[in-house]
PDB file of all heavy atoms in Angstrom:
ATOM      1  N   GLY A   1       8.979  -0.686  -3.786  1.00  0.00           N
ATOM      2  CA  GLY A   1       8.002   0.328  -4.160  1.00  0.00           C
ATOM      3  C   GLY A   1       8.606   1.394  -5.055  1.00  0.00           C
ATOM      4  O   GLY A   1       7.967   1.854  -6.006  1.00  0.00           O
ATOM      5  N   ALA A   2       9.855   1.789  -4.751  1.00  0.00           N
ATOM      6  CA  ALA A   2      10.522   2.813  -5.558  1.00  0.00           C
ATOM      7  C   ALA A   2      10.771   2.319  -6.971  1.00  0.00           C
ATOM      8  O   ALA A   2      10.581   3.055  -7.949  1.00  0.00           O
ATOM      9  CB  ALA A   2      11.839   3.213  -4.898  1.00  0.00           C
ATOM     10  N   ALA A   3      11.204   1.056  -7.107  1.00  0.00           N
ATOM     11  CA  ALA A   3      11.466   0.501  -8.434  1.00  0.00           C
ATOM     12  C   ALA A   3      10.173   0.355  -9.224  1.00  0.00           C
ATOM     13  O   ALA A   3      10.095   0.744 -10.398  1.00  0.00           O
ATOM     14  CB  ALA A   3      12.161  -0.849  -8.303  1.00  0.00           C
ATOM     15  N   PHE A   4       9.135  -0.180  -8.567  1.00  0.00           N
ATOM     16  CA  PHE A   4       7.867  -0.412  -9.262  1.00  0.00           C
ATOM     17  C   PHE A   4       7.164   0.900  -9.608  1.00  0.00           C
ATOM     18  O   PHE A   4       6.837   1.170 -10.772  1.00  0.00           O
ATOM     19  CB  PHE A   4       6.961  -1.285  -8.393  1.00  0.00           C
ATOM     20  CG  PHE A   4       5.549  -1.365  -8.875  1.00  0.00           C
ATOM     21  CD1 PHE A   4       5.247  -1.878 -10.129  1.00  0.00           C
ATOM     22  CD2 PHE A   4       4.510  -0.904  -8.077  1.00  0.00           C
ATOM     23  CE1 PHE A   4       3.934  -1.932 -10.580  1.00  0.00           C
ATOM     24  CE2 PHE A   4       3.199  -0.960  -8.525  1.00  0.00           C
ATOM     25  CZ  PHE A   4       2.909  -1.472  -9.778  1.00  0.00           C
ATOM     26  N   LEU A   5       6.926   1.735  -8.593  1.00  0.00           N
ATOM     27  CA  LEU A   5       6.184   2.967  -8.829  1.00  0.00           C
ATOM     28  C   LEU A   5       7.023   4.013  -9.559  1.00  0.00           C
ATOM     29  O   LEU A   5       6.472   4.844 -10.299  1.00  0.00           O
ATOM     30  CB  LEU A   5       5.656   3.526  -7.508  1.00  0.00           C
ATOM     31  CG  LEU A   5       4.496   2.726  -6.895  1.00  0.00           C
ATOM     32  CD1 LEU A   5       4.164   3.237  -5.503  1.00  0.00           C
ATOM     33  CD2 LEU A   5       3.265   2.806  -7.783  1.00  0.00           C
ATOM     34  N   GLY A   6       8.355   3.980  -9.370  1.00  0.00           N
ATOM     35  CA  GLY A   6       9.211   4.895 -10.114  1.00  0.00           C
ATOM     36  C   GLY A   6       9.165   4.603 -11.600  1.00  0.00           C
ATOM     37  O   GLY A   6       9.015   5.500 -12.437  1.00  0.00           O
ATOM     38  N   SER A   7       9.302   3.319 -11.951  1.00  0.00           N
ATOM     39  CA  SER A   7       9.193   2.928 -13.364  1.00  0.00           C
ATOM     40  C   SER A   7       7.801   3.221 -13.909  1.00  0.00           C
ATOM     41  O   SER A   7       7.639   3.672 -15.051  1.00  0.00           O
ATOM     42  CB  SER A   7       9.498   1.429 -13.517  1.00  0.00           C
ATOM     43  OG  SER A   7      10.831   1.152 -13.161  1.00  0.00           O
ATOM     44  N   TYR A   8       6.792   2.989 -13.085  1.00  0.00           N
ATOM     45  CA  TYR A   8       5.407   3.261 -13.482  1.00  0.00           C
ATOM     46  C   TYR A   8       5.210   4.749 -13.757  1.00  0.00           C
ATOM     47  O   TYR A   8       4.563   5.142 -14.737  1.00  0.00           O
ATOM     48  CB  TYR A   8       4.479   2.797 -12.360  1.00  0.00           C
ATOM     49  CG  TYR A   8       3.011   2.791 -12.707  1.00  0.00           C
ATOM     50  CD1 TYR A   8       2.453   1.739 -13.414  1.00  0.00           C
ATOM     51  CD2 TYR A   8       2.187   3.834 -12.307  1.00  0.00           C
ATOM     52  CE1 TYR A   8       1.100   1.721 -13.730  1.00  0.00           C
ATOM     53  CE2 TYR A   8       0.830   3.839 -12.613  1.00  0.00           C
ATOM     54  CZ  TYR A   8       0.290   2.778 -13.331  1.00  0.00           C
ATOM     55  OH  TYR A   8      -1.036   2.767 -13.640  1.00  0.00           O
ATOM     56  N   ALA A   9       5.787   5.586 -12.887  1.00  0.00           N
ATOM     57  CA  ALA A   9       5.661   7.039 -13.061  1.00  0.00           C
ATOM     58  C   ALA A   9       6.373   7.524 -14.307  1.00  0.00           C
ATOM     59  O   ALA A   9       5.891   8.428 -15.001  1.00  0.00           O
ATOM     60  CB  ALA A   9       6.217   7.764 -11.833  1.00  0.00           C
ATOM     61  N   ASP A  10       7.545   6.937 -14.604  1.00  0.00           N
ATOM     62  CA  ASP A  10       8.297   7.342 -15.791  1.00  0.00           C
ATOM     63  C   ASP A  10       7.653   6.843 -17.083  1.00  0.00           C
ATOM     64  O   ASP A  10       7.895   7.394 -18.153  1.00  0.00           O
ATOM     65  CB  ASP A  10       9.747   6.838 -15.696  1.00  0.00           C
ATOM     66  CG  ASP A  10      10.577   7.610 -14.691  1.00  0.00           C
ATOM     67  OD1 ASP A  10      10.285   8.803 -14.471  1.00  0.00           O
ATOM     68  OD2 ASP A  10      11.507   7.031 -14.109  1.00  0.00           O
ATOM     69  N   LYS A  11       6.824   5.805 -16.963  1.00  0.00           N
ATOM     70  CA  LYS A  11       6.171   5.251 -18.146  1.00  0.00           C
ATOM     71  C   LYS A  11       4.747   5.767 -18.323  1.00  0.00           C
ATOM     72  O   LYS A  11       4.339   6.126 -19.431  1.00  0.00           O
ATOM     73  CB  LYS A  11       6.163   3.724 -18.063  1.00  0.00           C
ATOM     74  CG  LYS A  11       5.574   3.054 -19.295  1.00  0.00           C
ATOM     75  CD  LYS A  11       5.680   1.536 -19.186  1.00  0.00           C
ATOM     76  CE  LYS A  11       5.134   0.859 -20.443  1.00  0.00           C
ATOM     77  NZ  LYS A  11       5.225  -0.625 -20.356  1.00  0.00           N
ATOM     78  N   HIS A  12       3.988   5.816 -17.227  1.00  0.00           N
ATOM     79  CA  HIS A  12       2.562   6.148 -17.314  1.00  0.00           C
ATOM     80  C   HIS A  12       2.221   7.537 -16.758  1.00  0.00           C
ATOM     81  O   HIS A  12       1.066   7.964 -16.894  1.00  0.00           O
ATOM     82  CB  HIS A  12       1.731   5.098 -16.577  1.00  0.00           C
ATOM     83  CG  HIS A  12       1.865   3.722 -17.147  1.00  0.00           C
ATOM     84  ND1 HIS A  12       1.292   3.343 -18.342  1.00  0.00           N
ATOM     85  CD2 HIS A  12       2.530   2.625 -16.684  1.00  0.00           C
ATOM     86  CE1 HIS A  12       1.584   2.075 -18.597  1.00  0.00           C
ATOM     87  NE2 HIS A  12       2.336   1.618 -17.608  1.00  0.00           N
ATOM     88  N   GLY A  13       3.164   8.182 -16.117  1.00  0.00           N
ATOM     89  CA  GLY A  13       2.903   9.521 -15.602  1.00  0.00           C
ATOM     90  C   GLY A  13       3.032   9.615 -14.104  1.00  0.00           C
ATOM     91  O   GLY A  13       2.825   8.645 -13.366  1.00  0.00           O
ATOM     92  N   ARG A  14       3.415  10.821 -13.646  1.00  0.00           N
ATOM     93  CA  ARG A  14       3.585  11.052 -12.201  1.00  0.00           C
ATOM     94  C   ARG A  14       2.236  10.934 -11.474  1.00  0.00           C
ATOM     95  O   ARG A  14       2.149  10.370 -10.384  1.00  0.00           O
ATOM     96  CB  ARG A  14       4.169  12.432 -11.943  1.00  0.00           C
ATOM     97  CG  ARG A  14       5.444  12.894 -12.607  1.00  0.00           C
ATOM     98  CD  ARG A  14       6.188  12.001 -13.483  1.00  0.00           C
ATOM     99  NE  ARG A  14       7.387  12.621 -14.050  1.00  0.00           N
ATOM    100  CZ  ARG A  14       8.356  11.924 -14.585  1.00  0.00           C
ATOM    101  NH1 ARG A  14       8.275  10.599 -14.650  1.00  0.00           N
ATOM    102  NH2 ARG A  14       9.418  12.531 -15.076  1.00  0.00           N
ATOM    103  N   ARG A  15       1.213  11.491 -12.082  1.00  0.00           N
ATOM    104  CA  ARG A  15      -0.108  11.490 -11.460  1.00  0.00           C
ATOM    105  C   ARG A  15      -0.630  10.081 -11.234  1.00  0.00           C
ATOM    106  O   ARG A  15      -1.159   9.762 -10.156  1.00  0.00           O
ATOM    107  CB  ARG A  15      -1.075  12.280 -12.351  1.00  0.00           C
ATOM    108  CG  ARG A  15      -2.520  12.308 -11.879  1.00  0.00           C
ATOM    109  CD  ARG A  15      -3.373  13.141 -12.833  1.00  0.00           C
ATOM    110  NE  ARG A  15      -4.787  13.048 -12.498  1.00  0.00           N
ATOM    111  CZ  ARG A  15      -5.592  12.074 -12.927  1.00  0.00           C
ATOM    112  NH1 ARG A  15      -5.109  11.107 -13.702  1.00  0.00           N
ATOM    113  NH2 ARG A  15      -6.867  12.069 -12.584  1.00  0.00           N
ATOM    114  N   ALA A  16      -0.496   9.205 -12.211  1.00  0.00           N
ATOM    115  CA  ALA A  16      -0.991   7.831 -12.086  1.00  0.00           C
ATOM    116  C   ALA A  16      -0.289   7.094 -10.956  1.00  0.00           C
ATOM    117  O   ALA A  16      -0.913   6.349 -10.187  1.00  0.00           O
ATOM    118  CB  ALA A  16      -0.789   7.089 -13.406  1.00  0.00           C
ATOM    119  N   ALA A  17       1.019   7.294 -10.834  1.00  0.00           N
ATOM    120  CA  ALA A  17       1.776   6.621  -9.771  1.00  0.00           C
ATOM    121  C   ALA A  17       1.406   7.158  -8.402  1.00  0.00           C
ATOM    122  O   ALA A  17       1.330   6.404  -7.421  1.00  0.00           O
ATOM    123  CB  ALA A  17       3.277   6.798 -10.018  1.00  0.00           C
ATOM    124  N   LEU A  18       1.162   8.465  -8.304  1.00  0.00           N
ATOM    125  CA  LEU A  18       0.778   9.051  -7.019  1.00  0.00           C
ATOM    126  C   LEU A  18      -0.601   8.557  -6.577  1.00  0.00           C
ATOM    127  O   LEU A  18      -0.848   8.377  -5.377  1.00  0.00           O
ATOM    128  CB  LEU A  18       0.792  10.576  -7.120  1.00  0.00           C
ATOM    129  CG  LEU A  18       2.188  11.210  -7.206  1.00  0.00           C
ATOM    130  CD1 LEU A  18       2.082  12.698  -7.510  1.00  0.00           C
ATOM    131  CD2 LEU A  18       2.973  10.989  -5.925  1.00  0.00           C
ATOM    132  N   LEU A  19      -1.493   8.333  -7.521  1.00  0.00           N
ATOM    133  CA  LEU A  19      -2.806   7.768  -7.180  1.00  0.00           C
ATOM    134  C   LEU A  19      -2.660   6.347  -6.641  1.00  0.00           C
ATOM    135  O   LEU A  19      -3.304   5.964  -5.657  1.00  0.00           O
ATOM    136  CB  LEU A  19      -3.708   7.775  -8.420  1.00  0.00           C
ATOM    137  CG  LEU A  19      -4.266   9.130  -8.852  1.00  0.00           C
ATOM    138  CD1 LEU A  19      -4.932   9.011 -10.223  1.00  0.00           C
ATOM    139  CD2 LEU A  19      -5.264   9.653  -7.826  1.00  0.00           C
ATOM    140  N   LEU A  20      -1.812   5.555  -7.276  1.00  0.00           N
ATOM    141  CA  LEU A  20      -1.632   4.170  -6.841  1.00  0.00           C
ATOM    142  C   LEU A  20      -0.989   4.098  -5.469  1.00  0.00           C
ATOM    143  O   LEU A  20      -1.382   3.270  -4.632  1.00  0.00           O
ATOM    144  CB  LEU A  20      -0.774   3.422  -7.873  1.00  0.00           C
ATOM    145  CG  LEU A  20      -0.494   1.941  -7.605  1.00  0.00           C
ATOM    146  CD1 LEU A  20      -1.801   1.169  -7.410  1.00  0.00           C
ATOM    147  CD2 LEU A  20       0.312   1.345  -8.752  1.00  0.00           C
ATOM    148  N   SER A  21      -0.035   4.962  -5.205  1.00  0.00           N
ATOM    149  CA  SER A  21       0.661   4.914  -3.912  1.00  0.00           C
ATOM    150  C   SER A  21      -0.282   5.222  -2.752  1.00  0.00           C
ATOM    151  O   SER A  21      -0.209   4.595  -1.689  1.00  0.00           O
ATOM    152  CB  SER A  21       1.853   5.881  -3.904  1.00  0.00           C
ATOM    153  OG  SER A  21       1.430   7.224  -3.840  1.00  0.00           O
ATOM    154  N   VAL A  22      -1.183   6.178  -2.940  1.00  0.00           N
ATOM    155  CA  VAL A  22      -2.076   6.538  -1.844  1.00  0.00           C
ATOM    156  C   VAL A  22      -3.130   5.447  -1.613  1.00  0.00           C
ATOM    157  O   VAL A  22      -3.611   5.255  -0.485  1.00  0.00           O
ATOM    158  CB  VAL A  22      -2.719   7.920  -2.098  1.00  0.00           C
ATOM    159  CG1 VAL A  22      -3.880   7.844  -3.063  1.00  0.00           C
ATOM    160  CG2 VAL A  22      -3.154   8.566  -0.792  1.00  0.00           C
ATOM    161  N   LYS A  23      -3.490   4.701  -2.649  1.00  0.00           N
ATOM    162  CA  LYS A  23      -4.409   3.566  -2.463  1.00  0.00           C
ATOM    163  C   LYS A  23      -3.763   2.490  -1.582  1.00  0.00           C
ATOM    164  O   LYS A  23      -4.416   1.913  -0.697  1.00  0.00           O
ATOM    165  CB  LYS A  23      -4.778   2.966  -3.814  1.00  0.00           C
ATOM    166  CG  LYS A  23      -5.667   3.846  -4.680  1.00  0.00           C
ATOM    167  CD  LYS A  23      -5.897   3.217  -6.051  1.00  0.00           C
ATOM    168  CE  LYS A  23      -6.693   4.133  -6.964  1.00  0.00           C
ATOM    169  NZ  LYS A  23      -6.863   3.561  -8.325  1.00  0.00           N
ATOM    170  N   LEU A  24      -2.499   2.208  -1.826  1.00  0.00           N
ATOM    171  CA  LEU A  24      -1.795   1.218  -1.006  1.00  0.00           C
ATOM    172  C   LEU A  24      -1.694   1.666   0.450  1.00  0.00           C
ATOM    173  O   LEU A  24      -1.845   0.863   1.375  1.00  0.00           O
ATOM    174  CB  LEU A  24      -0.398   0.977  -1.577  1.00  0.00           C
ATOM    175  CG  LEU A  24      -0.315   0.172  -2.870  1.00  0.00           C
ATOM    176  CD1 LEU A  24       1.083   0.259  -3.473  1.00  0.00           C
ATOM    177  CD2 LEU A  24      -0.696  -1.277  -2.614  1.00  0.00           C
ATOM    178  N   MET A  25      -1.436   2.964   0.653  1.00  0.00           N
ATOM    179  CA  MET A  25      -1.325   3.470   2.019  1.00  0.00           C
ATOM    180  C   MET A  25      -2.651   3.355   2.758  1.00  0.00           C
ATOM    181  O   MET A  25      -2.688   2.984   3.941  1.00  0.00           O
ATOM    182  CB  MET A  25      -0.845   4.917   1.996  1.00  0.00           C
ATOM    183  CG  MET A  25      -0.614   5.514   3.377  1.00  0.00           C
ATOM    184  SD  MET A  25       0.625   4.615   4.362  1.00  0.00           S
ATOM    185  CE  MET A  25       2.132   5.078   3.499  1.00  0.00           C
ATOM    186  N   ALA A  26      -3.735   3.663   2.086  1.00  0.00           N
ATOM    187  CA  ALA A  26      -5.060   3.561   2.710  1.00  0.00           C
ATOM    188  C   ALA A  26      -5.334   2.123   3.145  1.00  0.00           C
ATOM    189  O   ALA A  26      -5.840   1.877   4.251  1.00  0.00           O
ATOM    190  CB  ALA A  26      -6.136   4.039   1.740  1.00  0.00           C
ATOM    191  N   GLY A  27      -4.997   1.163   2.292  1.00  0.00           N
ATOM    192  CA  GLY A  27      -5.222  -0.241   2.630  1.00  0.00           C
ATOM    193  C   GLY A  27      -4.393  -0.694   3.823  1.00  0.00           C
ATOM    194  O   GLY A  27      -4.892  -1.412   4.701  1.00  0.00           O
ATOM    195  N   GLY A  28      -3.128  -0.274   3.875  1.00  0.00           N
ATOM    196  CA  GLY A  28      -2.269  -0.654   4.999  1.00  0.00           C
ATOM    197  C   GLY A  28      -2.758  -0.085   6.313  1.00  0.00           C
ATOM    198  O   GLY A  28      -2.769  -0.772   7.348  1.00  0.00           O
ATOM    199  N   SER A  29      -3.169   1.168   6.310  1.00  0.00           N
ATOM    200  CA  SER A  29      -3.652   1.798   7.543  1.00  0.00           C
ATOM    201  C   SER A  29      -4.934   1.135   8.038  1.00  0.00           C
ATOM    202  O   SER A  29      -5.114   0.920   9.246  1.00  0.00           O
ATOM    203  CB  SER A  29      -3.892   3.291   7.310  1.00  0.00           C
ATOM    204  OG  SER A  29      -2.684   3.963   7.078  1.00  0.00           O
ATOM    205  N   LEU A  30      -5.820   0.820   7.117  1.00  0.00           N
ATOM    206  CA  LEU A  30      -7.074   0.171   7.502  1.00  0.00           C
ATOM    207  C   LEU A  30      -6.820  -1.208   8.101  1.00  0.00           C
ATOM    208  O   LEU A  30      -7.480  -1.614   9.072  1.00  0.00           O
ATOM    209  CB  LEU A  30      -7.995   0.058   6.282  1.00  0.00           C
ATOM    210  CG  LEU A  30      -9.423  -0.419   6.549  1.00  0.00           C
ATOM    211  CD1 LEU A  30     -10.141   0.527   7.505  1.00  0.00           C
ATOM    212  CD2 LEU A  30     -10.201  -0.527   5.238  1.00  0.00           C
ATOM    213  N   LEU A  31      -5.838  -1.926   7.566  1.00  0.00           N
ATOM    214  CA  LEU A  31      -5.513  -3.248   8.087  1.00  0.00           C
ATOM    215  C   LEU A  31      -4.980  -3.166   9.512  1.00  0.00           C
ATOM    216  O   LEU A  31      -5.355  -3.968  10.380  1.00  0.00           O
ATOM    217  CB  LEU A  31      -4.480  -3.925   7.177  1.00  0.00           C
ATOM    218  CG  LEU A  31      -4.051  -5.340   7.568  1.00  0.00           C
ATOM    219  CD1 LEU A  31      -5.253  -6.270   7.687  1.00  0.00           C
ATOM    220  CD2 LEU A  31      -3.054  -5.888   6.558  1.00  0.00           C
ATOM    221  N   ILE A  32      -4.112  -2.181   9.796  1.00  0.00           N
ATOM    222  CA  ILE A  32      -3.606  -2.015  11.160  1.00  0.00           C
ATOM    223  C   ILE A  32      -4.746  -1.663  12.101  1.00  0.00           C
ATOM    224  O   ILE A  32      -4.833  -2.174  13.221  1.00  0.00           O
ATOM    225  CB  ILE A  32      -2.521  -0.926  11.207  1.00  0.00           C
ATOM    226  CG1 ILE A  32      -1.288  -1.366  10.414  1.00  0.00           C
ATOM    227  CG2 ILE A  32      -2.105  -0.636  12.664  1.00  0.00           C
ATOM    228  CD1 ILE A  32      -0.199  -0.317  10.332  1.00  0.00           C
ATOM    229  N   ALA A  33      -5.637  -0.787  11.665  1.00  0.00           N
ATOM    230  CA  ALA A  33      -6.752  -0.365  12.513  1.00  0.00           C
ATOM    231  C   ALA A  33      -7.641  -1.532  12.916  1.00  0.00           C
ATOM    232  O   ALA A  33      -8.198  -1.552  14.013  1.00  0.00           O
ATOM    233  CB  ALA A  33      -7.580   0.693  11.781  1.00  0.00           C
ATOM    234  N   CYS A  34      -7.763  -2.526  12.040  1.00  0.00           N
ATOM    235  CA  CYS A  34      -8.687  -3.641  12.285  1.00  0.00           C
ATOM    236  C   CYS A  34      -8.006  -4.910  12.797  1.00  0.00           C
ATOM    237  O   CYS A  34      -8.693  -5.874  13.160  1.00  0.00           O
ATOM    238  CB  CYS A  34      -9.435  -3.980  11.000  1.00  0.00           C
ATOM    239  SG  CYS A  34     -10.443  -2.627  10.349  1.00  0.00           S
ATOM    240  N   ALA A  35      -6.688  -4.947  12.848  1.00  0.00           N
ATOM    241  CA  ALA A  35      -5.970  -6.179  13.192  1.00  0.00           C
ATOM    242  C   ALA A  35      -6.229  -6.603  14.641  1.00  0.00           C
ATOM    243  O   ALA A  35      -6.083  -5.791  15.555  1.00  0.00           O
ATOM    244  CB  ALA A  35      -4.475  -5.987  12.976  1.00  0.00           C
ATOM    245  N   PRO A  36      -6.615  -7.864  14.873  1.00  0.00           N
ATOM    246  CA  PRO A  36      -6.767  -8.363  16.250  1.00  0.00           C
ATOM    247  C   PRO A  36      -5.407  -8.454  16.943  1.00  0.00           C
ATOM    248  O   PRO A  36      -4.365  -8.512  16.286  1.00  0.00           O
ATOM    249  CB  PRO A  36      -7.381  -9.758  16.063  1.00  0.00           C
ATOM    250  CG  PRO A  36      -7.829  -9.815  14.638  1.00  0.00           C
ATOM    251  CD  PRO A  36      -6.939  -8.882  13.871  1.00  0.00           C
ATOM    252  N   GLY A  37      -5.425  -8.487  18.271  1.00  0.00           N
ATOM    253  CA  GLY A  37      -4.196  -8.583  19.038  1.00  0.00           C
ATOM    254  C   GLY A  37      -3.715 -10.014  19.208  1.00  0.00           C
ATOM    255  O   GLY A  37      -4.383 -10.972  18.811  1.00  0.00           O
ATOM    256  N   TYR A  38      -2.547 -10.141  19.846  1.00  0.00           N
ATOM    257  CA  TYR A  38      -1.929 -11.451  20.079  1.00  0.00           C
ATOM    258  C   TYR A  38      -2.831 -12.344  20.930  1.00  0.00           C
ATOM    259  O   TYR A  38      -2.907 -13.555  20.711  1.00  0.00           O
ATOM    260  CB  TYR A  38      -0.581 -11.252  20.768  1.00  0.00           C
ATOM    261  CG  TYR A  38       0.237 -12.514  20.911  1.00  0.00           C
ATOM    262  CD1 TYR A  38       1.157 -12.881  19.933  1.00  0.00           C
ATOM    263  CD2 TYR A  38       0.093 -13.331  22.031  1.00  0.00           C
ATOM    264  CE1 TYR A  38       1.914 -14.034  20.070  1.00  0.00           C
ATOM    265  CE2 TYR A  38       0.844 -14.490  22.174  1.00  0.00           C
ATOM    266  CZ  TYR A  38       1.754 -14.833  21.191  1.00  0.00           C
ATOM    267  OH  TYR A  38       2.501 -15.986  21.326  1.00  0.00           O
ATOM    268  N   ALA A  39      -3.532 -11.743  21.886  1.00  0.00           N
ATOM    269  CA  ALA A  39      -4.404 -12.529  22.771  1.00  0.00           C
ATOM    270  C   ALA A  39      -5.553 -13.167  22.009  1.00  0.00           C
ATOM    271  O   ALA A  39      -6.114 -14.173  22.448  1.00  0.00           O
ATOM    272  CB  ALA A  39      -4.955 -11.631  23.886  1.00  0.00           C
ATOM    273  N   THR A  40      -5.903 -12.636  20.854  1.00  0.00           N
ATOM    274  CA  THR A  40      -7.032 -13.141  20.078  1.00  0.00           C
ATOM    275  C   THR A  40      -6.612 -14.180  19.048  1.00  0.00           C
ATOM    276  O   THR A  40      -7.221 -15.255  18.951  1.00  0.00           O
ATOM    277  CB  THR A  40      -7.757 -11.984  19.364  1.00  0.00           C
ATOM    278  OG1 THR A  40      -8.160 -11.021  20.338  1.00  0.00           O
ATOM    279  CG2 THR A  40      -8.974 -12.486  18.594  1.00  0.00           C
ATOM    280  N   ILE A  41      -5.567 -13.890  18.276  1.00  0.00           N
ATOM    281  CA  ILE A  41      -5.187 -14.801  17.181  1.00  0.00           C
ATOM    282  C   ILE A  41      -3.713 -15.225  17.235  1.00  0.00           C
ATOM    283  O   ILE A  41      -3.190 -15.780  16.271  1.00  0.00           O
ATOM    284  CB  ILE A  41      -5.494 -14.168  15.800  1.00  0.00           C
ATOM    285  CG1 ILE A  41      -4.720 -12.854  15.615  1.00  0.00           C
ATOM    286  CG2 ILE A  41      -6.975 -13.953  15.627  1.00  0.00           C
ATOM    287  CD1 ILE A  41      -4.833 -12.294  14.204  1.00  0.00           C
ATOM    288  N   GLY A  42      -3.057 -14.988  18.352  1.00  0.00           N
ATOM    289  CA  GLY A  42      -1.679 -15.445  18.516  1.00  0.00           C
ATOM    290  C   GLY A  42      -0.720 -14.823  17.514  1.00  0.00           C
ATOM    291  O   GLY A  42      -0.748 -13.611  17.277  1.00  0.00           O
ATOM    292  N   LEU A  43       0.093 -15.652  16.873  1.00  0.00           N
ATOM    293  CA  LEU A  43       1.116 -15.161  15.948  1.00  0.00           C
ATOM    294  C   LEU A  43       0.526 -14.504  14.705  1.00  0.00           C
ATOM    295  O   LEU A  43       1.231 -13.792  13.979  1.00  0.00           O
ATOM    296  CB  LEU A  43       2.033 -16.314  15.526  1.00  0.00           C
ATOM    297  CG  LEU A  43       2.936 -16.884  16.619  1.00  0.00           C
ATOM    298  CD1 LEU A  43       3.714 -18.079  16.091  1.00  0.00           C
ATOM    299  CD2 LEU A  43       3.890 -15.822  17.132  1.00  0.00           C
ATOM    300  N   GLY A  44      -0.766 -14.742  14.464  1.00  0.00           N
ATOM    301  CA  GLY A  44      -1.409 -14.069  13.341  1.00  0.00           C
ATOM    302  C   GLY A  44      -1.440 -12.562  13.506  1.00  0.00           C
ATOM    303  O   GLY A  44      -1.464 -11.824  12.512  1.00  0.00           O
ATOM    304  N   ALA A  45      -1.428 -12.077  14.756  1.00  0.00           N
ATOM    305  CA  ALA A  45      -1.492 -10.634  15.003  1.00  0.00           C
ATOM    306  C   ALA A  45      -0.247  -9.910  14.489  1.00  0.00           C
ATOM    307  O   ALA A  45      -0.359  -8.973  13.683  1.00  0.00           O
ATOM    308  CB  ALA A  45      -1.714 -10.367  16.486  1.00  0.00           C
ATOM    309  N   PRO A  46       0.966 -10.310  14.919  1.00  0.00           N
ATOM    310  CA  PRO A  46       2.142  -9.642  14.355  1.00  0.00           C
ATOM    311  C   PRO A  46       2.303  -9.888  12.861  1.00  0.00           C
ATOM    312  O   PRO A  46       2.878  -9.061  12.154  1.00  0.00           O
ATOM    313  CB  PRO A  46       3.309 -10.225  15.158  1.00  0.00           C
ATOM    314  CG  PRO A  46       2.807 -11.475  15.768  1.00  0.00           C
ATOM    315  CD  PRO A  46       1.340 -11.243  16.002  1.00  0.00           C
TER     316      PRO A  46
END
């Protein structure tokens, strides 16, 4: 993430990279919130 977004920030701007980083964080948090447990989908949960 540091290599990708750092290069992106140095090329396209700090603001653009900060917008992209928060989009990724929102997606990750939503996935954890909705993920079924081990009892439901086994190894798919972890």
Side-chain angles (χ1 to χ4, degrees):
F4 169 61
L5 288 172
S7 296
Y8 190 81
D10 287 331
K11 183 176 182 180
H12 298 287
R14 306 357 179 163
R15 177 179 173 275
L18 288 172
L19 286 170
L20 181 55
S21 72
V22 80
K23 290 176 184 177
L24 287 168
M25 184 60 72
S29 293
L30 188 60
L31 181 56
I32 294 176
C34 299
Y38 187 92
T40 304
I41 60 172
L43 292 176

